[in-house]
């Protein structure tokens, strides 16, 4: 059970809430494989997807998740909307609120924008990524993928590698995985590791060979150039040499360590293409599959007490 209106981040989720989402997602995962019909779950519920920033897997996954549960889905057409005519975010929130949606799924380039909207609307709001702040559904799907693949989601040594400074995925994962009882190391160049990140209870190293020793899970982040203003590394070639995950560096992790990446990936920049495709170690496509089940579980749990669901 999730006793909350919104899902804005993992920072304020309890361990119990995280586990209840993952447990329900496990059931939806099986249902998806068995082609079970769950279209009654969100019947009568209206879900609006608002993506102010590009997205492939997150947007499509939320759309399919809602569809599989029988919701009425509206994809807000931002290109043609009043946003391009200068409407403020708060005016947009008021407009949407007047249309009685039940769930808003929002991605926005500014940290905090999703929370701002959530405070102005009556319905549930799900953060699908805000600036470099939080991306809770990515962290939850990562936790479930780890549990599926390694059989547990506590007591693990997890390395988060690369462009941590610009990554909402890294922040949400640190909060979530710490609460579940794992130890986290962040590895990357000094320019891409935020100062003071140790206060989140993580260890920091700037050397991949040292950092990957004895690691169970290697999480690789995309170099998020669209968020960089200025030079953070000298060249992609040099970045790959020092920080790109390749066979040589992977040798330092545990022999059964798994490789993760939230996508979209830059092959040959942060990860070697062959390693990303190695189905014995890379779980990248499984992350996408699990993402669908996690989003179904969250849509279900957040609307569990909705009056329109009484008859279901
Ligand atoms: C991530 C995002 O948008 O934050 N992608 C995703 O949602 N799968 C990571 C990224 O863009 O690098």
């Amino acid at each position: 059970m999730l006793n909350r209106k919104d899902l804005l981040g993992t920072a304020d989720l309890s361990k119990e809430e995280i586990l209840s989402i993952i447990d329900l997602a496990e059931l939806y995962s099986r249902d998806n494989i068995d082609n079970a019909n769950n279209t009654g779950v969100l019947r009568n519920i209206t879900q609006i997807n608002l993506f102010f920033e590009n997205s492939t897997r997150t947007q499509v996954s939320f759309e399919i998740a809602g569809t599989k549960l029988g919701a009425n889905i509206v994809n807000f057409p931002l290109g043609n909307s009043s946003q391009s005519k200068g409407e403020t975010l708060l005016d947009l929130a008021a407009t949407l609120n007047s249309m009685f949606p039940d769930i808003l799924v929002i991605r926005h380039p500014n940290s905090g924008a999703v929370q701002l909207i959530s405070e102005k609307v009556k319905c549930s709001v799900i953060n699908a990524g805000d600036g470099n702040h939080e991306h809770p559904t990515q962290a939850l799907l990562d936790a479930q993928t780890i549990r599926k693949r390694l059989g547990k989601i506590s007591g693990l040594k997890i390395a988060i590698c690369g462009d941590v400074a610009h990554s909402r995925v890294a922040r949400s994962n640190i909060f979530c995985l710490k609460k579940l009882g794992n130890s986290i190391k962040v590895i990357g160049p000094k320019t891409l590791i935020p100062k003071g990140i140790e206060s989140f209870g993580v260890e920091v190293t700037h050397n991949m060979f040292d950092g990957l020793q004895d690691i169970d899970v290697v999480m690789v982040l995309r170099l998020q150039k669209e968020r960089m203003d200025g030079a953070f590394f000298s060249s992609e070639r040099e970045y790959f040499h020092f920080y790109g995950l390749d066979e040589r560096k992977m040798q330092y992790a545990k022999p059964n360590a798994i490789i993760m990446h939230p996508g979209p990936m830059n092959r040959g920049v942060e990860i070697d293409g062959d390693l990303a495709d190695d189905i014995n170690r890379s779980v990248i496509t499984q992350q996408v599959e699990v993402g669908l089940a996690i989003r179904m579980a969250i849509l279900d749990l957040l609307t569990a007490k909705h009056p329109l669901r009484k008859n279901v």
Side-chain angles (χ1 to χ4, degrees):
M1 176 59 90
L2 276 188
N3 250 332
R4 51 173 65 242
K5 174 171 106 59
D6 307 311
L7 177 68
L8 299 176
T10 55
D12 70 338
L13 279 183
S14 67
K15 181 178 171 185
E16 291 65 36
E17 285 178 301
I18 294 170
L19 290 174
S20 71
I21 296 168
I22 296 179
D23 287 342
L24 181 60
E26 195 57 51
L27 301 180
Y28 278 125
S29 266
R30 279 182 234 153
D31 278 0
N32 289 343
I33 292 165
D34 296 343
N35 261 322
N37 183 348
N38 284 308
T39 53
V41 178
L42 292 190
R43 193 170 38 138
N44 303 323
I45 296 288
T46 300
Q47 171 188 338
I48 305 184
N49 298 329
L50 280 133
F51 280 70
F52 294 88
E53 208 184 58
N54 291 344
S55 171
T56 313
R57 65 218 86 220
T58 307
Q59 182 168 5
V60 173
S61 167
F62 266 114
E63 199 172 332
I64 298 178
T67 308
K68 276 187 163 291
L69 296 175
N72 306 314
I73 304 201
V74 178
N75 285 310
F76 200 81
L78 284 165
N80 313 325
S81 76
S82 318
Q83 287 284 292
S84 54
K85 298 183 186 167
E87 186 178 41
T88 67
L89 211 52
L90 293 182
D91 286 340
L92 172 72
T95 307
L96 290 167
N97 198 38
S98 308
M99 295 184 199
F100 303 107
D102 302 303
I103 303 176
L104 294 178
V105 179
I106 308 174
R107 170 168 285 192
H108 199 282
N110 298 338
S111 302
V114 179
Q115 176 169 351
L116 192 69
I117 298 177
S118 76
E119 287 163 3
K120 302 289 168 200
V121 296
K122 292 211 179 80
C123 69
S124 287
V125 173
I126 302 175
N127 182 3
D130 64 323
N132 55 14
H133 178 226
E134 280 244 33
H135 190 354
T137 58
Q138 181 68 43
L140 291 161
L141 77 87
D142 287 341
Q144 198 196 343
T145 307
I146 295 170
R147 190 169 79 172
K148 265 180 180 296
R149 198 63 178 241
L150 296 181
K152 59 177 185 170
I153 186 54
S154 62
L156 295 167
K157 293 193 174 122
I158 300 173
I160 302 181
C161 314
D163 183 3
V164 178
H166 300 100
S167 178
R168 51 197 176 206
V169 174
R171 289 172 64 92
S172 289
N173 259 307
I174 290 171
F175 299 137
C176 179
L177 293 167
K178 287 280 305 169
K179 278 179 195 168
L180 293 172
N182 300 286
S183 68
I184 316 280
K185 240 183 227 179
V186 297
I187 316 173
K190 285 202 174 94
T191 48
L192 293 175
I193 302 288
K195 285 200 176 57
I197 194 166
E198 291 90 345
S199 66
F200 289 171
V202 301
E203 215 183 294
V204 176
T205 159
H206 304 294
N207 181 299
M208 286 285 272
F209 298 102
D210 288 345
L212 290 178
Q213 303 236 15
D214 215 25
I215 286 290
D216 297 288
V217 177
V218 186
M219 212 174 258
V220 183
L221 301 170
R222 183 173 65 87
L223 257 190
Q224 291 152 90
K225 285 188 264 173
E226 76 279 14
R227 296 192 205 289
M228 296 178 191
D229 77 37
F232 287 79
F233 55 96
S234 34
S235 70
E236 287 185 356
R237 208 182 138 107
E238 191 188 288
Y239 183 85
F240 183 73
H241 177 73
F242 287 109
Y243 295 102
L245 188 68
D246 59 11
E247 195 61 61
R248 209 166 49 101
K249 300 184 187 90
M250 200 54 205
Q251 293 300 320
Y252 286 76
K254 283 204 183 133
N256 65 342
I258 57 170
I259 299 165
M260 309 183 81
H261 191 302
M265 36 175 177
N266 294 311
R267 289 168 184 263
V269 179
E270 68 260 358
I271 188 164
D272 170 73
D274 289 340
L275 209 49
D277 294 334
D278 177 352
I279 53 165
N280 293 317
R281 288 181 289 178
S282 161
V283 299
I284 296 170
T285 50
Q286 200 172 3
Q287 285 173 270
V288 180
E289 187 182 317
V290 168
L292 177 61
I294 280 287
R295 286 164 185 133
M296 290 170 80
I298 290 164
L299 291 170
D300 182 347
L301 289 169
L302 281 182
T303 57
K305 288 199 193 136
H306 196 293
L308 288 173
R309 283 188 56 178
K310 269 194 188 131
N311 311 328
V312 180

